[in-house]
């Protein structure tokens, strides 16, 4: 009897030329109990890069609605007990899922993140980031100021979505930050202090192209959650 929990890796995809590398990194995990769901958010380019993997993944195509809607589509169709998000321009290290599942099971956690590497457009590693969030009090203050959490380093127990709901599509760019703040009143955030993903910096990344919109969303999200989080202190 299989006692290992299944991890669902959701890869939102929209016109990204790096999608093949992302899928490869998901399929090459040392942890065997995974399903990979690629949610095509109405792409018009690079869809042919997914074709070689369609017998190894679940492929869902939908009308364009933004990353939050693509993540939510993957979650709704997921069969796993844990959720991991992989952006189509990033990559998991081979031991990502195994390391994080074992850590979460050992600690009894439903919400964790990890350190991560930066890489460039040529997939060359450039530097490594170790988020230091400190005590729960320090963590809340930090997260009300900015978001040091890399979304693709996060793993969640699937039951958290039943508790707090899915990603909010009204936040097109900072939906991940909003979710982390929404989770904090209910779940302890654990950190695996070794890098488990490679986060790609390139000219076409959404963070670079939509900075003004992101700043507006971040301010709105902080205002939305500030009183509830400060009440935890």
């Amino acid at each position: 009897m299989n006692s290992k929990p299944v991890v669902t890796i959701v890869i939102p995809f929209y016109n990204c030329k790096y999608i093949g590398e992302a899928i490869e990194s998901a399929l090459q995990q040392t942890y065997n109990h995974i399903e990979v769901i690629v949610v095509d958010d109405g792409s018009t380019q690079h869809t042919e890069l997914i074709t070689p993997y369609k017998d190894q993944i679940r492929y869902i195509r939908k009308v364009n609605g933004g990353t939050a809607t693509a993540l939510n589509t993957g979650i709704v169709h997921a069969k796993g007990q844990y959720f991991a998000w992989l952006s189509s321009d990033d990559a998991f290290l081979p031991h990502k899922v195994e390391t994080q599942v074992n850590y979460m099971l050992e600690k009894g956690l439903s919400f964790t993140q990890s350190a991560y590497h930066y890489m460039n457009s040529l997939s060359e590693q450039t530097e490594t980031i170790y988020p230091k969030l400190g005590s729960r009090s320090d963590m809340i203050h930090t997260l009300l100021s900015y978001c040091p959490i890399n979304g693709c380093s996060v793993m969640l127990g699937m039951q958290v979505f039943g508790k707090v709901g899915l990603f909010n599509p009204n936040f097109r760019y900072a939906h991940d930050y909003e979710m982390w703040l929404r989770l904090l009143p209910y779940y302890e955030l654990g950190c695996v202090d070794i890098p488990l993903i490679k986060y790609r910096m390139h000219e076409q990344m959404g963070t670079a192209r939509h900075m003004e919109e992101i700043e507006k969303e971040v301010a709105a999200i902080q205002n939305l959650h500030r009183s509830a989080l400060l009440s935890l202190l």
Side-chain angles (χ1 to χ4, degrees):
M1 182 176 177
N2 173 28
S3 61
K4 293 281 190 179
V6 173
V7 178
T8 299
I9 302 170
V10 179
I11 308 178
F13 166 67
Y14 181 70
N15 294 344
C16 179
K17 66 182 180 180
Y18 301 107
I19 182 64
E21 186 174 339
I23 295 173
E24 285 277 358
S25 77
L27 294 174
Q28 291 173 2
Q29 289 298 297
T30 58
Y31 189 82
N32 295 324
H33 307 282
I34 64 169
E35 65 167 351
V36 180
I37 302 178
V38 175
V39 181
D40 182 345
D41 193 34
S43 295
T44 58
Q45 302 175 53
H46 306 303
T47 55
E48 73 283 354
L49 299 175
I50 301 173
T51 303
Y53 303 102
K54 283 189 175 176
D55 61 344
Q56 301 175 76
I57 65 171
R58 294 172 66 194
Y59 174 75
I60 302 171
R61 183 172 170 85
K62 60 182 282 298
V63 297
N64 180 257
T67 304
T69 67
L71 288 168
N72 291 343
T73 297
I75 291 164
V76 167
H77 287 85
K79 297 177 180 176
Q81 290 78 56
Y82 289 87
F83 161 83
W85 161 19
L86 175 56
S87 293
S88 56
D89 51 356
D90 297 335
F92 284 173
L93 295 178
H95 59 287
K96 197 269 189 194
V97 171
E98 182 174 23
T99 300
Q100 207 156 8
V101 167
N102 289 341
Y103 175 82
M104 292 175 75
L105 290 172
E106 178 186 341
K107 302 288 187 182
L109 295 170
S110 298
F111 179 21
T112 62
Q113 59 143 2
S114 77
Y116 56 95
H117 298 305
Y118 279 119
M119 64 175 168
N120 60 24
S121 59
L122 301 176
S123 303
E124 298 166 335
Q125 183 181 322
T126 55
E127 62 178 311
T128 304
I129 304 298
Y130 294 89
K132 300 295 184 184
L133 294 176
S135 68
R136 183 162 171 82
S137 175
D138 291 340
M139 184 185 302
I140 289 168
H141 283 299
T142 297
L143 284 166
L144 278 172
S145 300
Y146 72 102
C147 184
I149 300 171
N150 187 299
C152 293
S153 80
V154 168
M155 186 175 287
L156 300 174
M158 201 66 76
Q159 78 280 0
V160 306
F161 300 113
K163 181 77 171 178
V164 306
L166 298 173
F167 288 93
N168 188 338
N170 293 323
F171 297 111
R172 193 170 180 90
Y173 305 107
H175 49 272
D176 52 343
Y177 180 38
E178 195 276 330
M179 175 61 81
W180 315 149
L181 295 190
R182 209 185 326 155
L183 286 167
L184 270 182
Y186 305 101
Y187 299 99
E188 180 183 350
L189 172 59
C191 182
V192 180
D193 203 27
I194 57 174
L196 298 179
I197 71 162
K198 293 187 289 185
Y199 176 68
R200 191 185 308 273
M201 304 292 288
H202 59 99
E203 291 179 356
Q204 293 303 309
M205 64 190 300
T207 309
R209 292 186 292 123
H210 304 290
M211 184 55 68
E212 186 175 342
E213 296 97 320
I214 291 170
E215 289 175 352
K216 289 178 181 177
E217 287 191 3
V218 165
I221 289 164
Q222 290 168 347
N223 288 333
L224 179 65
H225 291 285
R226 180 172 285 108
S227 60
L229 291 177
L230 290 178
S231 72
L232 302 173
L233 298 175

